[in-house]
Amino acid sequence: MNTIFRHIGVISLAVLAGCAKTPETNSENIAMNNALLAEWEGPYGGVPAFDKMTVDLVKPALQKGMELKLAEIDRITGNAEEPTFENTIEPLELSGKELERAFVYYGIFSSNVSNPEFREVQKEMAPQISEFNSKISQNEALFQRIKKVYEKSKKNPLSTEKQRVIDLIYEDFAMEGANLNEAEKQRYAAINKELSSLYTQFSNNVLADEENYVLYLDEGQLSGLPESYVKSAAKAAADRGKGGQYAVTNTRSSMDPFLTYSDNRQLREKVWRNYYSRGDNGDEYDNNQIISDILKLRDERVELLGYDNYAQWRLQNRMAKTPESAMNLMMQVWPAALARVKEEVSDMQQIADEENPGITIKPWDYRYYAEKVRKAKYDLDSEEVKQYLELGNLTQALFFTAGELFNFEFTPVKENTVPVFHEDVKVWEVTNKDTDKLVGLWYLDPYARTGKRSGAWATTYRGFNQLEGGEPVLASNNSNFIKPAPGEPVLVSWDDAETFFHEFGHALHFLSSNVAYPTLNGGVRDYTEFQSQLLERWLSTDQVINKYLRHYKTNDVIPDELVQKIKKAATFNQGFATTEFLASAIMDMKYHTTDPDQIDPDKFEKETLQELNMPEEIVMRHRTPHFGHVFSGEGYAAGYYGYLWADVLTSDAAEAFAEAPNGFYDKETARKLLKYLFAPRNSMDPAEAYRKFRGRDAKIDALMRDRGFPVPQDSLQ
Ligand SMILES: [Zn+2]
């Protein structure tokens, strides 16, 4: 969420030249009257008025907020003085406060307490918000001022922090075509328009194939399937007017367990083919031509900007910086993953030979026999584990970890001093343990409810920056635990406990910020997941285990044997998981570094995978014709590698702790963690920040060990 706000903060800073000035007194009056735009009042430097938010205020607040921001930008561009950092960048950084506040409430309505009435507002506002963003990114007068400041700074560098701010803002505009001439700009806009309609077609085609290929089973075809699966399949069939039957829908959440448990090999093949043929059936929903068109348009667009290929353009402001470094990393891991697949297949073949002689493992058998291997080798009773993972204890474990690593202390705020949007939300005050200085507030919204999106996430309502006086950070974590009956404990799975730590890592990243300017709080896609992933590692440290992983009834510490089983299970099936992921990530990079005129997607996928020695038993996690991360938008285009990149950093940084004199609680390593990896956020180049923490670049060795792969000689990311 913070990233989204920053994006709006930077990209959406423009008004069309010649736009009418806002009559100020009047608009400020209206702003005062809308609770969503009003300054935050109360303790802690002011807090959101969650007790006053109503859906009918959202639209007028957003519209007025956008108008006010555009007027502020008009004042910047209307300044007759020579552009400087102080008269252009600083006011830009400070602009749009009302809108930022309105977006905090908008975010709560869309993620935490949505309803049909709000969704109508959302639908109406989406195009207006996107138009507003274009008004800023295409504001020529604003860009010319930014460019002047940037060019001057190249001759007379500014202070490190200011230089980073102007570099980031200038690059953001330039990457979106601000430097193009009029004719090029028109072509650029036309390409974007065409692309956005292709993205929509692409995802609609995948959706159509998910709907069109539902498989209906009868009572006799359920062998092996767990009861919970059968129940939801019965409901899915009834919902589609086929009461008494069982529907295997063509989605991952239905396909994956079916292939894991169904004893019927023919049906497994059928379900597998349905799923991995989405968008590739040679009919009106086929995506191959669309992919070709997308690749050509992307290539043409970055050519206008002077790049050889799309990946080069995309990666310039990522930690990896170049397609070559991302590819190099993937190709270092690839051979080990393939070798591991061979071992996994041989383990599975052994079981198949005993149980169903004559079978050779095919892609639709992988999950099924892998599950049998898992049972034999790593069996873990997840219900037993849950007894030791009680939500209240886990929350205390988070606070303990934050205290040890960041010197933060968490104290519940007094009831009714800080407004919340739902009675389930609890708020803690965060202070520095030594100085008692207030750091911020932490809001926790733990439980699932109607109108709340699924999963877990972290946001900030207010980020830290020195420019505005270093106001307390307001950070939040949101989960979907099932709310217990009064007096009952919330027991969570190991995966969910890890996610709880993960999201808390994002919150700590917000809370520890010490940046000078709002822009420096922004995220870098292949970097910001790393900090949160790293925090997951503290869940299985001895200190946390002994203090907090205790049986909810007996208070006994979780048995060591169970912990060892959990750790061992983490390396299970890593050949499959790494290979299916990497195949998609490598293909993504190949598509965006190859001349699109040479690409016929179906053929290109097949031939490239053959060259890579892709094992016959595995298919790409997302085959090209339904690779939505990459072709239904640009979020992960030439960026799917980022998950592995962050994993490498996570494993390597965790090893820095493991090797330190006091392990995961080593004060000196924790000091460096805070100083270089958390507090600077994006005010330092991520590669440089990492080098300062580790004393060298990240190596893949630790990741290889974590996944149970052999470590190659002489590896360097
Ligand atoms: Zn995350």
Side-chain angles (χ1 to χ4, degrees):
M1 193 65 78
N2 189 57
T3 322
I4 295 166
F5 292 153
R6 277 291 91 229
H7 194 67
I8 287 168
V10 177
I11 286 295
S12 38
L13 300 177
V15 79
L16 286 171
C19 198
K21 284 244 167 169
T22 319
E24 243 154 77
T25 31
N26 186 25
S27 67
E28 252 136 53
N29 272 339
I30 296 169
M32 299 292 236
N33 291 336
N34 188 317
L36 308 194
L37 291 168
E39 290 236 25
W40 292 346
E41 292 172 352
Y44 306 108
V47 289
F50 290 130
D51 51 343
K52 293 190 184 131
M53 63 181 219
T54 52
V55 174
D56 59 311
L57 293 176
V58 173
K59 183 177 143 186
L62 285 181
Q63 286 174 334
K64 179 53 70 180
M66 291 192 279
E67 189 185 317
L68 290 171
K69 172 139 185 165
L70 294 178
E72 283 175 281
I73 287 171
D74 263 356
R75 281 199 288 278
I76 296 171
T77 56
N79 190 333
E81 287 168 36
E82 183 69 7
T84 61
F85 190 91
E86 287 69 26
N87 73 20
T88 301
I89 305 303
E90 273 183 17
L92 193 57
E93 288 283 278
L94 291 168
S95 68
K97 288 293 137 194
E98 293 84 0
L99 184 60
E100 277 182 23
R101 290 196 286 265
F103 267 119
V104 166
Y105 301 104
Y106 186 82
I108 297 292
F109 273 119
S110 62
S111 301
N112 298 70
V113 290
S114 185
N115 57 38
E117 192 192 352
F118 174 74
R119 282 191 283 275
E120 283 305 309
V121 176
Q122 221 173 359
K123 222 187 280 169
E124 194 185 338
M125 290 313 295
Q128 292 184 37
I129 294 169
S130 117
E131 195 188 337
F132 165 80
N133 282 330
S134 319
K135 280 185 185 167
I136 296 174
S137 60
Q138 291 161 16
N139 185 327
E140 184 59 28
L142 178 63
F143 178 64
Q144 287 311 323
R145 287 190 76 91
I146 292 169
K147 193 173 177 179
K148 276 225 172 98
V149 177
Y150 174 77
E151 281 169 351
K152 270 193 286 185
S153 79
K154 290 293 133 181
K155 286 182 208 122
N156 296 305
L158 300 164
S159 70
T160 317
E161 273 163 328
K162 287 184 179 175
Q163 190 63 48
R164 180 92 179 147
V165 173
I166 182 66
D167 286 350
L168 289 171
I169 292 180
Y170 174 80
E171 280 162 19
D172 236 348
F173 274 84
M175 268 184 84
E176 298 303 328
N179 270 319
L180 298 176
N181 68 36
E182 218 26 67
E184 289 167 337
K185 267 186 184 159
Q186 275 183 18
R187 181 61 195 144
Y188 187 92
I191 290 174
N192 273 352
K193 201 171 164 199
E194 215 176 318
L195 277 173
S196 80
S197 107
L198 289 168
Y199 297 153
T200 310
Q201 281 178 48
F202 182 94
S203 28
N204 286 344
N205 285 344
V206 176
L207 276 178
D209 276 356
E210 290 181 352
E211 273 308 310
N212 295 342
Y213 289 82
V214 177
L215 181 70
Y216 294 97
L217 310 177
D218 58 38
E219 201 89 34
Q221 297 175 304
L222 304 175
S223 171
L225 297 173
E227 203 184 304
S228 59
Y229 188 90
V230 172
K231 260 191 199 160
S232 57
K235 187 178 180 300
D239 288 349
R240 288 167 174 75
K242 307 243 181 185
Q245 289 186 298
Y246 305 86
V248 183
T249 60
N250 202 17
T251 58
R252 183 175 294 279
S253 59
S254 186
M255 170 279 293
D256 197 287
F258 188 87
L259 294 187
T260 305
Y261 298 111
S262 171
D263 294 325
N264 189 322
R265 193 171 190 229
Q266 274 179 343
L267 289 175
R268 287 205 305 269
E269 180 175 353
K270 179 100 191 116
V271 167
W272 183 89
R273 287 197 188 281
N274 284 348
Y275 187 76
Y276 289 102
S277 304
R278 289 171 303 143
D280 198 23
N281 291 305
D283 57 11
E284 57 181 312
Y285 303 115
D286 192 288
N287 269 332
N288 284 287
Q289 185 58 49
I290 291 175
I291 293 161
S292 285
D293 295 345
I294 288 174
L295 291 171
K296 281 182 191 139
L297 287 166
R298 281 178 181 169
D299 192 61
E300 186 190 341
R301 197 184 65 191
V302 301
E303 207 168 285
L304 285 173
L305 301 172
Y307 296 87
D308 291 341
N309 58 54
Y310 181 85
Q312 206 181 61
W313 170 80
R314 179 81 281 167
L315 270 71
Q316 59 181 305
N317 60 2
R318 299 281 158 88
M319 186 174 172
K321 291 199 178 73
T322 63
E324 292 74 24
S325 61
M327 197 57 126
N328 177 37
L329 167 70
M330 295 192 280
M331 294 316 291
Q332 285 186 65
V333 180
W334 181 248
L338 296 191
R340 186 43 133 36
V341 167
K342 279 219 167 77
E343 294 169 18
E344 287 173 7
V345 170
S346 130
D347 280 352
M348 295 189 294
Q349 191 63 54
Q350 231 172 338
I351 294 187
D353 289 346
E354 285 159 25
E355 293 188 0
N356 312 84
I359 281 183
T360 309
I361 302 290
K362 294 281 179 194
W364 43 91
D365 299 318
Y366 211 111
R367 288 173 178 83
Y368 181 73
Y369 286 102
E371 175 61 14
K372 291 183 184 278
V373 174
R374 190 189 70 80
K375 274 234 157 99
K377 276 198 174 175
Y378 306 91
D379 204 11
L380 189 65
D381 180 354
S382 54
E383 286 308 310
E384 189 193 351
V385 177
K386 273 188 182 179
Q387 315 280 307
Y388 298 93
L389 299 171
E390 189 272 321
L391 187 60
N393 284 341
L394 286 173
T395 309
Q396 292 307 315
L398 297 182
F399 298 161
F400 167 76
T401 305
E404 292 291 314
L405 293 179
F406 296 83
N407 218 21
F408 288 164
E409 182 160 5
F410 286 70
T411 320
V413 303
K414 283 194 200 76
E415 290 279 337
N416 303 323
T417 52
V418 173
V420 291
F421 49 83
H422 191 278
E423 57 178 10
D424 290 344
V425 180
K426 296 285 173 266
V427 189
W428 282 262
E429 187 182 297
V430 187
T431 50
N432 182 294
K433 271 206 292 197
D434 295 333
T435 63
D436 273 345
K437 192 176 175 294
L438 179 67
V439 174
L441 293 179
W442 183 65
Y443 293 67
L444 175 65
D445 182 14
Y447 303 126
R449 75 175 74 89
T450 314
K452 187 172 175 179
R453 70 175 238 223
S454 60
W457 68 96
T459 67
T460 38
Y461 307 141
R462 182 171 60 217
F464 179 92
N465 72 78
Q466 292 162 15
L467 183 63
E468 289 170 273
E471 300 241 65
V473 174
L474 306 177
S476 88
N477 277 165
N478 308 270
S479 316
N480 271 287
F481 300 114
I482 306 300
K483 192 176 180 175
E488 291 294 311
V490 181
L491 302 178
V492 310
S493 69
W494 185 264
D495 275 0
D496 286 348
E498 273 186 344
T499 305
F500 199 44
F501 269 71
H502 175 106
E503 297 306 334
F504 189 62
H506 285 304
L508 290 173
H509 199 183
F510 296 136
L511 286 163
S512 51
S513 168
N514 72 355
V515 306
Y517 294 93
T519 282
L520 301 177
N521 268 322
V524 180
R525 176 147 278 161
D526 55 3
Y527 185 59
T528 40
E529 283 307 314
F530 146 62
Q531 284 85 353
S532 49
Q533 285 180 186
L534 183 60
L535 207 87
E536 294 171 25
R537 303 293 177 111
W538 271 264
L539 173 62
S540 53
T541 58
D542 290 344
Q543 283 85 336
V544 165
I545 289 173
N546 292 324
K547 268 190 151 131
Y548 303 105
L549 304 197
R550 287 169 171 269
H551 196 281
Y552 77 103
K553 272 187 191 153
T554 63
N555 206 33
D556 290 341
V557 176
I558 186 170
D560 187 48
E561 188 202 11
L562 200 52
V563 176
Q564 293 316 318
K565 268 190 185 176
I566 294 167
K567 289 187 178 173
K568 201 174 154 209
T571 63
F572 167 70
N573 221 27
Q574 278 298 337
F576 176 84
T578 306
T579 301
E580 69 156 9
F581 164 80
L582 270 180
S584 286
I586 292 170
M587 284 306 303
D588 169 32
M589 207 50 83
K590 296 264 187 197
Y591 275 116
H592 293 103
T593 48
T594 305
D595 177 2
D597 291 330
Q598 312 295 321
I599 294 179
D600 166 3
D602 254 350
K603 200 168 145 234
F604 186 72
E605 180 188 290
K606 210 170 156 194
E607 289 175 359
T608 312
L609 291 175
Q610 249 163 20
E611 278 164 31
L612 288 164
N613 295 318
M614 179 77 172
E616 275 172 31
E617 299 86 356
I618 298 182
V619 66
M620 292 164 71
R621 181 171 172 85
H622 310 278
R623 279 200 55 231
T624 312
H626 46 253
F627 200 170
H629 290 78
V630 173
F631 296 114
S632 69
E634 302 198 25
Y636 282 90
Y640 197 64
Y641 78 91
Y643 292 103
L644 180 75
W645 190 275
D647 282 350
V648 169
L649 296 173
T650 304
S651 293
D652 192 59
E655 238 174 45
F657 277 98
E659 290 162 357
N662 295 301
F664 279 80
Y665 296 88
D666 189 75
K667 290 290 172 205
E668 175 56 15
T669 314
R671 188 189 64 80
K672 285 197 273 184
L673 175 83
L674 174 63
K675 184 171 180 193
Y676 298 120
L677 301 183
F678 276 70
R681 294 197 58 95
N682 198 16
S683 59
M684 213 188 266
D685 175 72
E688 187 193 327
Y690 192 82
R691 225 168 280 137
K692 287 197 156 142
F693 166 75
R694 197 63 166 109
R696 58 162 172 75
D697 288 329
K699 292 185 194 175
I700 63 163
D701 305 24
L703 172 107
M704 303 298 266
R705 279 189 278 273
D706 283 344
R707 297 193 178 191
F709 296 166
V711 176
Q713 299 283 307
D714 206 20
S715 58
L716 208 65
Q717 185 178 320

